Amino acid sequence: MAGQLIVGLDVSSRARAEEIVAALGDTVEYYKIGYQCFYGADGFALGKALIAAGKKVFFDLKLLDIDNTVEKGVAAIAETGAAMLTVHAYPKAMQAARRGAEGSTLTVLGVTVLTSMDDQDVRDAGYARDAAGLVALRAQQARDSGIGGIVASPHEAEMVRTIVGPKMAIVTPGIRPSGSAAGDQKRIMTPAQALAAGASHLVVARPIIEAPDPAAAARAILAEMASKGTRLA
């Protein structure tokens, strides 16, 4: 289970990020570095240091640009030995990312619909679909592009698994342990429910990094994951 839990280092200081990593010790082996940490905490160098220390690193950068730029950017990340990298789940971006990652162990993930968005947010963005419909479209396009996985809400994980099959990664943010606050997330599940729905990896940040004892919080989540409780309807 430890390999399926990814802790989001959503902090603006490298010193704080390193404190969290030290507090978690051997409890956690996988870390996500997103915008806040990447730009505010020298996250690229931090990621390379974590990789050198034997940790797995997920660079959550949501790349989207012209094909050549995406391909070259992905190739540069692949050279670090990172485990995962996100791009926006547009067909051409995913195809370019696949080319950039060729020959490496980097898993490219297509980001479908953010877990902070609901059906109204999707409509406001100009899509003539609800959130689930847009996720389904992006999942099909990710599968056809040949990348390694997608990022989706746990509420769509079961549907996505039927689309992409058993091998692709389904990485789910919006994970909240039993009894914790939803915060700004709208489509959430508990760890066990997300795994039961078909997720392969769970991203958790605030419930762990803001806990008085991050290692204890991580162990509690791992215990929930191991229970694989009943999924939501």
Side-chain angles (χ1 to χ4, degrees):
M1 289 295 168
Q4 294 175 279
L5 174 62
I6 303 173
V7 173
L9 292 175
D10 295 344
V11 295
S12 301
S13 157
R14 180 166 177 176
R16 177 58 184 145
E18 289 173 339
E19 286 176 1
I20 293 167
V21 172
L24 289 169
D26 294 335
T27 306
V28 172
E29 61 185 58
Y30 223 133
Y31 290 95
K32 179 181 77 72
I33 293 177
Y35 290 164
Q36 182 180 2
C37 185
F38 192 85
Y39 294 114
D42 196 14
F44 190 52
L46 171 64
K48 291 194 287 186
L50 289 173
I51 293 165
K55 300 294 186 180
K56 294 180 180 179
V57 170
F58 166 18
F59 283 112
D60 184 17
L61 302 180
K62 301 180 181 69
L63 302 182
L64 179 62
D65 212 307
I66 63 172
D67 295 2
N68 184 66
T69 299
V70 171
E71 181 176 345
K72 299 303 183 185
V74 171
I77 293 293
E79 289 181 0
T80 69
M84 290 180 174
L85 170 70
T86 50
V87 301
H88 277 285
Y90 289 86
K92 293 190 72 177
M94 292 188 288
Q95 292 159 14
R98 175 186 51 75
R99 294 193 296 272
E102 283 177 355
S104 75
T105 58
L106 178 68
T107 297
V108 173
L109 304 171
V111 178
T112 57
V113 177
L114 302 178
T115 52
S116 60
M117 297 176 69
D118 57 19
D119 290 344
Q120 185 60 52
D121 295 319
V122 169
R123 286 191 290 270
D124 290 345
Y127 294 100
R129 299 170 182 263
D130 59 12
L134 183 55
V135 170
L137 173 64
R138 297 303 191 210
Q140 293 165 11
Q141 293 168 333
R143 178 199 62 203
D144 295 344
S145 74
I147 63 171
I150 69 165
V151 178
S153 155
H155 279 263
E156 284 89 50
E158 183 175 14
M159 172 192 67
V160 168
R161 184 58 73 194
T162 66
I163 294 169
V164 304
K167 294 184 179 180
M168 285 181 68
I170 300 176
V171 179
T172 56
I175 301 299
R176 290 293 181 267
S178 300
S180 64
D184 57 358
Q185 304 293 325
K186 294 180 180 179
R187 298 178 354 266
I188 64 173
M189 278 188 179
T190 68
Q193 289 166 341
L195 289 177
S200 62
H201 298 77
L202 311 184
V203 177
V204 183
R206 281 168 283 186
I208 292 177
I209 68 174
E210 295 180 1
D213 185 340
R219 287 193 295 270
I221 289 170
L222 288 167
E224 278 198 59
M225 291 167 67
S227 72
K228 292 185 180 178
T230 304
R231 61 189 169 208
L232 294 179

